[in-house]
Amino acid sequence: MTPRARRSPRRTEALSRERIVEAAVELLDTAGESGLTFRALTERLSTGAGAIYWHVANKGELLAAATDAVVAEAVSADVSSPRSAGSPRDGVRAVALGLYDAIEAHPWLATQLALQLSRSPGGPVAPRIFEGIGRQVGALGVSEDGWFTATSVLVHYILGAAGQNAVNTESGRALGPGVDRARFLDDVSAQWEQLDPDAYPFTRPVAHRMRGHDDREQFLAGIDLVLAGMAAR
Amino acid sequence: MTPRARRSPRRTEALSRERIVEAAVELLDTAGESGLTFRALTERLSTGAGAIYWHVANKGELLAAATDAVVAEAVSADVSSPRSAGSPRDGVRAVALGLYDAIEAHPWLATQLALQLSRSPGGPVAPRIFEGIGRQVGALGVSEDGWFTATSVLVHYILGAAGQNAVNTESGRALGPGVDRARFLDDVSAQWEQLDPDAYPFTRPVAHRMRGHDDREQFLAGIDLVLAGMAAR
DNA sequence: ACCTGAACACCGTTCAAGT
DNA sequence: ACCTGAACACCGTTCAAGT
């Protein structure tokens, strides 16, 4: 927590895939998506480019590994949290908020998640999230058919909504999470309010709903809607 | 439909933003995301790089414009289609399938949509889709509160599910849409079936649901689930 | 087996110069 | 106002050479 903890990487440690992925996450967090370059990475790890390619096939694989590492932590963290000890519905909420928070903490995650899922759904990220959500949904006791559909809808909604609400500053978040976020949503709201009323008769009147606060509450309302649909089958 | 229709761009026409965007879409369709470079674009339009920069700020803006152009067509196309003349539920289905098909026809669209929405939600793409879906949802007659939430869930689900099911071959789709797609889903299914049973007790048993066919039906089942939740409020 | 780092191919963007 | 195209800065990746 000290301002300048760990400056130069300890050169004594040997290079490994884990250390490379760890450095990549740190670089993404501090310098944004455009900050992750092999040159920046070699400097941070005080090594050569070829050394990284010995452990990692290419940049795409590195980004996939970084995404998976962060998602794995986010999904597993809340599974047995005290909050999920409540109703099954609370369990779904807990995992959803875990992913929501992870995207808020790592702005690059929204984009990478979307890239990962659309470009290589066969990768490790999709089943990990699916399992995290599905585990909670399973506790609600429905048929396999309803379970699969509900979990699919929840996963896509969570990733999409959290991604769209994430402040993506490209150079890491600037101030505290609350401050930035409120201004960001205000901006989007203002832009939606300036839409042509004739072309956007439905969207314009609800633009104010994005204003300022309670995007978490709105996010959870969507989850409740899906759960209600599941119960109604 | 002839194999070699329009080879060299007619140099007589003046350059314009529309022609550039049109060429970008064609390039994305035929050569994939990595095929869209300013060099390929200048060659296709038989012009210089600076000429493009006169009409378009940078590559990001060009990709946003290409995405918006395709989405605008997809969303508007089905709004007054004969199929949406049925129940309001059919209207939602029609717009959803319109976007689904657009992503299938333009594999790069899934990625770009995700990038656009997560990186610049203030852009034109988000409200356009929101309006397209919301218009249909509005016909179902619910309170503004329920309307906003349901539309949000639907939009994210549609984009996420369609994106994940899209075959992304990076160099354009290879064969007919049906053939490729079935094999693609089979592959993903096979990979999910090889997951560790202990770590994935919920996901592995439903892997077979991705096999081969009827992903459209599964897609629509998710939409019905949301609509059921809306009615149950 | 693991690492070095110069070299290569390629890309987005700029800008002095033209019409 | 609109276009040309060479030049620049930067990037991912390779590979002969080292230990």
Side-chain angles (χ1 to χ4, degrees):
Chain A
M1 283 293 182
T2 47
R4 52 200 160 94
R6 127 153 57 128
R7 272 285 282 292
S8 61
R10 17 200 159 74
R11 305 106 195 266
T12 54
E13 274 186 43
L15 207 55
S16 70
R17 190 183 158 93
E18 290 78 47
R19 262 183 57 71
I20 294 173
V21 172
E22 181 192 330
V25 170
E26 289 173 8
L27 220 36
L28 286 164
D29 284 343
T30 55
E33 292 181 61
S34 66
L36 179 61
T37 67
F38 275 81
R39 278 166 179 78
L41 211 50
T42 55
E43 194 178 358
R44 191 179 190 90
L45 295 167
S46 56
T47 179
I52 295 176
Y53 277 92
W54 179 259
H55 297 276
V56 165
N58 50 41
K59 189 175 183 180
E61 193 189 292
L62 178 58
L63 280 166
T67 303
D68 191 47
V70 173
V71 167
E73 200 196 333
V75 170
S76 75
D78 276 32
V79 158
S80 55
S81 93
R83 182 170 281 171
S84 71
S87 69
R89 209 191 71 160
D90 287 341
V92 176
R93 285 176 161 233
V95 176
L97 285 178
L99 280 167
Y100 195 85
D101 290 340
I103 290 178
E104 191 173 351
H106 309 277
W108 51 272
L109 192 60
T111 299
Q112 276 318 119
L113 235 19
L115 286 180
Q116 232 60 240
L117 295 180
S118 70
R119 279 216 260 250
S120 51
V125 179
R128 207 185 281 283
I129 296 176
F130 200 84
E131 180 76 19
I133 302 289
R135 203 171 291 202
Q136 307 300 321
V137 175
L140 291 166
V142 280
S143 69
E144 184 186 297
D145 197 76
W147 180 88
F148 185 80
T149 300
T151 303
S152 296
V153 176
L154 280 173
V155 168
H156 292 306
Y157 170 65
I158 291 167
L159 295 180
Q164 188 163 358
N165 284 344
V167 188
N168 216 331
T169 47
E170 172 62 20
S171 52
R173 50 249 130 91
L175 306 172
V179 189
D180 243 6
R181 189 186 208 78
R183 282 195 52 186
F184 168 78
L185 291 172
D186 276 0
D187 284 351
V188 175
S189 171
Q191 275 169 304
W192 282 37
E193 274 169 351
Q194 281 167 8
L195 292 168
D196 175 14
D198 292 331
Y200 295 89
F202 285 85
T203 302
R204 225 188 59 112
V206 297
H208 69 92
R209 290 195 164 267
M210 297 195 163
R211 268 249 135 73
H213 50 292
D214 265 352
D215 50 300
R216 270 173 111 84
E217 213 53 50
Q218 176 62 48
F219 172 68
L220 290 174
I223 290 176
D224 287 345
L225 177 73
V226 179
L227 295 181
M230 211 178 91
R233 53 151 271 113
Chain B
M1 284 288 185
T2 49
R4 53 198 159 94
R6 121 152 62 125
R7 273 283 283 291
S8 61
R10 18 198 159 71
R11 306 105 195 264
T12 53
E13 272 186 47
L15 208 54
S16 69
R17 191 184 158 93
E18 289 78 46
R19 263 180 60 68
I20 294 174
V21 171
E22 181 192 328
V25 170
E26 289 174 8
L27 220 36
L28 286 165
D29 284 343
T30 55
E33 292 181 62
S34 67
L36 178 62
T37 67
F38 275 81
R39 277 166 180 77
L41 211 51
T42 55
E43 194 177 358
R44 194 181 189 89
L45 295 168
S46 57
T47 180
I52 295 175
Y53 276 92
W54 180 259
H55 296 278
V56 166
N58 50 41
K59 191 175 183 181
E61 193 190 291
L62 179 58
L63 280 166
T67 303
D68 190 47
V70 174
V71 167
E73 199 195 335
V75 170
S76 73
D78 276 32
V79 159
S80 55
S81 94
R83 181 170 280 171
S84 71
S87 67
R89 210 191 68 161
D90 289 340
V92 176
R93 285 175 160 233
V95 175
L97 285 178
L99 279 166
Y100 196 85
D101 291 340
I103 290 179
E104 191 173 351
H106 309 277
W108 51 273
L109 192 60
T111 299
Q112 276 319 120
L113 234 20
L115 286 180
Q116 232 59 240
L117 295 180
S118 70
R119 277 214 261 251
S120 52
V125 178
R128 208 187 281 284
I129 296 176
F130 200 85
E131 180 75 20
I133 301 291
R135 204 171 292 203
Q136 308 298 322
V137 175
L140 292 167
V142 280
S143 69
E144 184 186 296
D145 198 75
W147 180 89
F148 184 79
T149 300
T151 303
S152 295
V153 176
L154 281 172
V155 167
H156 292 305
Y157 170 65
I158 290 167
L159 295 180
Q164 189 163 0
N165 284 343
V167 188
N168 216 331
T169 48
E170 172 62 17
S171 52
R173 49 245 131 93
L175 307 171
V179 189
D180 244 5
R181 190 185 207 78
R183 284 196 49 188
F184 167 79
L185 291 172
D186 276 0
D187 285 351
V188 176
S189 172
Q191 276 169 303
W192 283 36
E193 273 168 353
Q194 282 169 7
L195 291 168
D196 175 14
D198 292 331
Y200 295 89
F202 285 86
T203 301
R204 226 186 61 110
V206 297
H208 69 91
R209 290 195 165 265
M210 296 193 165
R211 268 248 135 73
H213 48 294
D214 265 353
D215 50 300
R216 270 175 111 83
E217 213 54 50
Q218 177 60 50
F219 172 67
L220 290 175
I223 290 177
D224 286 346
L225 177 72
V226 180
L227 295 181
M230 212 178 91
R233 55 152 270 112

